[in-house]
């Protein structure tokens, strides 16, 4: 109260010119603040760009028709798989090593035995063909996708939704949730499109260098336009989170909502301040108790854990053709490489289990079906190249890294991500977060 009286007295003692100057300064400061807030909220976009990723020179015209596609197999394909499995040479595991050194070969033999003698690939092909598959040519590449339309009912609102996978997943990881999405829920139902990223599964790989998330985003925007959707919803995890984010940056007017189950936003002063103050006064830097539990001690839970689990990332981002060479020729090598990620990324405590905890969350049929998609399409090397293409230069210098995301956004934070992203960090890039949920358990696969 005394301070208020002092300020009041000081103001009254000023002459008219000083009062006008003070009031003018306050108005100007308020105007600047309002301008900065408005500028931050102003929707920005990034250029669409253009590209041609097919073999040879770009033709004068491109077939833009959409064609039905079916997954197929043959006895010869299965016989070749079995012959290669039978020629596998295993290394003996270290005693009591569990999954600390990677996929334990003792348990790998059990998985491979099931794969060789019990797993029915022809039956799983029928499962894959349960939903309609299609292909269409975009920027020189045959782009594969499934398109699931809900049963027609009166008085229901149909929302187009694209789901984009990551590595080492595929379109198949969405099969379990498709019935939930295409069934009527309170008068709302989704029409779902699940594309394969070019270079993954049944989408043709780029024949030229430089195919990154921006190119994939542009291709998927073209796909949605070709399907007749001017507005739609997006969901992405892993690489899918970056691709759908880029789609939202390129055409924010088309994206009604974006949902991500992986978010990276860990640069800047706000993040640095959070790491310094967060363990002691989290509320001052916008961290919740759950954020603190997941982030700290930071070196142990983030830096050290990332170092332990990012070896694959470094080799795929630098020498993908070398990284994938063995797995492209050996089905057992491919299975070990992929399934070890499903073990550790589900819960890093699975490294201490003899079986890697694989069947605690997944069935072997589902896991091996995903492996078979990579094996039969020979796409492991091209899928790894996506890392190099996105990390050739400094990612922070890319136009998408310098541009905010302004579409309505929902985030799901899973407990075993390599780097937890609190809501306060996510808001640095994602300017219109409508929901942020801490998931108690679970993974994005299957």
């Amino acid at each position: 109260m005394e301070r208020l009286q002092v300020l009041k007295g000081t103001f009254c003692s000023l002459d008219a010119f000083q009062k006008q100057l003070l009031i003018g300064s306050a108005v100007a400061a308020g105007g600047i603040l309002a301008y900065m807030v408005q500028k931050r909220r102003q929707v920005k976009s990034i250029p669409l760009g253009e590209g041609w990723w097919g073999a040879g020179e770009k033709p004068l015209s491109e077939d833009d028709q959409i064609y039905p596609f079916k997954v197929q197999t043959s006895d010869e394909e299965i016989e070749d798989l079995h012959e290669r499995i039978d020629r596998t040479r295993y290394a003996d595991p270290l005693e009591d090593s569990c999954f600390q050194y990677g996929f334990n070969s003792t348990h790998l033999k059990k998985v491979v035995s099931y794969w060789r003698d019990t797993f029915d690939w022809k039956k799983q092909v029928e499962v894959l063909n349960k939903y309609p598959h299609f292909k269409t040519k975009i920027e020189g590449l045959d782009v594969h996708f499934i398109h699931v339309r809900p049963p027609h009912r009166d008085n229901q609102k149909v929302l187009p939704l694209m789901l984009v996978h990551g590595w080492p997943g595929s379109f198949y990881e969405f099969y379990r949730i498709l019935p939930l999405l295409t069934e009527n829920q309170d008068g709302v139902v989704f029409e779902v499109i699940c594309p394969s990223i070019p270079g993954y599964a049944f989408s043709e790989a780029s024949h030229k260098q430089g195919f990154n998330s921006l190119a994939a985003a542009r291709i998927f925007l073209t796909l949605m336009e070709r399907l007749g959707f001017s507005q739609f919803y997006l969901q992405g995890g892993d690489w899918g989170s970056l691709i759908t984010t880029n789609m939202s940056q390129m055409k924010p007017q088309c994206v009604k909502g974006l949902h991500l189950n992986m978010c990276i936003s860990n640069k800047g002063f706000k993040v640095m301040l959070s790491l310094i103050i967060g363990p002691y006064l989290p509320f001052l830097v916008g961290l919740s108790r759950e954020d603190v539990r997941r982030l700290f001690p930071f070196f142990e839970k983030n830096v050290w854990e990332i170092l332990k689990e990012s070896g694959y990332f470094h080799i795929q981002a630098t020498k993908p053709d070398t990284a994938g060479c063995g797995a492209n020729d050996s089905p057992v090598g491919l299975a070990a490489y992929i399934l070890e990620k499903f073990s550790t990324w589900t819960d890093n405590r699975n490294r201490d289990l003899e079986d890697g905890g694989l069947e605690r969350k997944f069935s072997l049929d589902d896991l091996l079906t995903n492996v078979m998609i990579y094996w039969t399409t020979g796409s492991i090397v091209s899928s790894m190249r996506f890392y190099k293409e996105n990390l050739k230069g400094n990612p922070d210098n890319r136009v998408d890294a310098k541009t905010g995301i302004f579409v309505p956004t929902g985030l799901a934070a899973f407990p075993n991500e390599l780097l937890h992203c609190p809501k306060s960090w996510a808001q640095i890039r994602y300017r219109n977060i409508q929901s942020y949920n801490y998931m108690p358990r679970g993974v994005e696969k299957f």
Side-chain angles (χ1 to χ4, degrees), residues 41-273:
R41 292 179 178 175
Q42 184 180 1
V43 176
K44 301 180 182 68
S45 62
I46 63 176
L48 266 173
E50 59 181 5
W52 171 261
W53 311 102
E57 297 295 323
K58 181 180 179 179
L60 296 176
S61 62
E62 185 176 66
D63 181 7
D64 62 359
Q65 296 299 305
I66 296 173
Y67 298 96
F69 171 78
K70 288 197 74 172
V71 182
Q72 297 180 334
T73 188
S74 64
D75 291 335
E76 291 75 18
E77 182 176 67
I78 296 172
E79 288 171 8
D80 176 70
L81 171 71
H82 290 171
E83 289 173 3
R84 290 171 185 265
I85 286 176
D86 292 340
R87 292 198 301 270
T88 301
R89 183 174 61 179
Y90 296 89
D92 292 331
L94 295 173
E95 294 178 2
D96 304 318
S97 60
C98 296
F99 269 55
Q100 290 288 352
Y101 286 72
F103 204 114
N104 186 286
S105 60
T106 299
H107 188 65
L108 180 60
K109 291 176 183 178
K110 297 177 182 178
V111 172
V112 171
S113 175
Y114 178 87
W115 191 8
R116 171 68 171 79
D117 300 324
T118 306
F119 178 76
D120 189 341
W121 174 230
K122 288 184 177 180
K123 179 182 176 182
Q124 292 307 109
V125 166
E126 292 178 4
V127 172
L128 292 178
N129 287 322
K130 174 182 178 181
Y131 297 111
H133 294 245
F134 302 90
K135 282 190 176 184
T136 189
K137 185 80 74 175
I138 304 176
E139 297 189 12
L141 301 177
D142 277 328
V143 178
H144 162 261
F145 63 98
I146 61 172
H147 187 180
V148 187
R149 294 179 174 89
H152 176 74
R153 292 188 179 91
D154 294 332
N155 301 320
Q156 70 177 11
K157 188 175 182 180
V158 180
L159 305 176
L161 169 67
M162 176 178 278
L163 309 175
V164 184
H165 65 88
W167 188 93
S170 65
F171 66 91
Y172 180 60
E173 67 193 53
F174 304 119
Y175 267 49
R176 290 292 179 89
I177 64 170
L178 283 173
L180 297 175
L181 294 172
T182 54
E183 291 176 359
N184 193 314
Q185 303 284 340
D186 298 323
V188 176
V189 67
F190 290 100
E191 182 172 345
V192 184
I193 300 91
C194 302
S196 295
I197 300 170
Y200 288 70
F202 302 103
S203 280
E204 184 179 358
S206 174
H207 297 265
K208 295 174 171 58
Q209 298 180 48
F211 187 89
N212 58 18
S213 66
L214 296 168
R218 185 175 60 248
I219 283 177
F220 289 168
L221 285 170
T222 301
L223 173 60
M224 293 303 276
E225 181 181 348
R226 193 168 291 181
L227 290 170
F229 300 118
S230 59
Q231 292 187 314
F232 43 82
Y233 295 82
L234 298 171
Q235 148 65 29
D238 195 74
W239 282 124
S241 70
L242 180 56
I243 293 170
T244 53
T245 292
N246 291 160
M247 294 172 72
S248 302
Q249 292 172 304
M250 289 175 173
K251 286 193 173 183
Q253 71 276 15
C254 295
V255 180
K256 297 281 287 181
L258 169 68
H259 189 270
L260 306 174
N261 54 285
M262 191 181 87
C263 173
I264 297 177
S265 180
N266 57 2
K267 306 289 184 183
F269 177 75
K270 186 176 183 179
V271 173
M272 183 178 68
L273 194 64

Side-chain angles (χ1 to χ4, degrees), residues 264-312:
I264 297 177
S265 180
N266 57 2
K267 306 289 184 183
F269 177 75
K270 186 176 183 179
V271 173
M272 183 178 68
L273 194 64
S274 298
L275 296 178
I276 296 171
I277 299 177
Y280 313 104
L281 298 168
F283 61 92
L284 289 181
V285 287
L287 298 184
S288 69
R289 290 182 178 179
E290 183 62 18
D291 292 326
V292 172
R293 190 186 69 80
R294 295 187 183 191
L295 280 174
F296 303 108
F298 187 77
F299 189 87
E300 176 188 331
K301 290 191 174 181
N302 293 274
V303 179
W304 178 236
E305 197 62 38
I306 288 174
L307 286 174
K308 286 198 291 185
E309 290 301 329
S310 61
Y312 83 97

Side-chain angles (χ1 to χ4, degrees), residues 28-48:
I32 293 171
L33 181 62
Y35 171 76
M36 292 175 65
V37 171
Q38 183 182 8
K39 186 177 180 182
R40 177 176 170 82
R41 292 179 178 175
Q42 184 180 1
V43 176
K44 301 180 182 68
S45 62
I46 63 176
L48 266 173

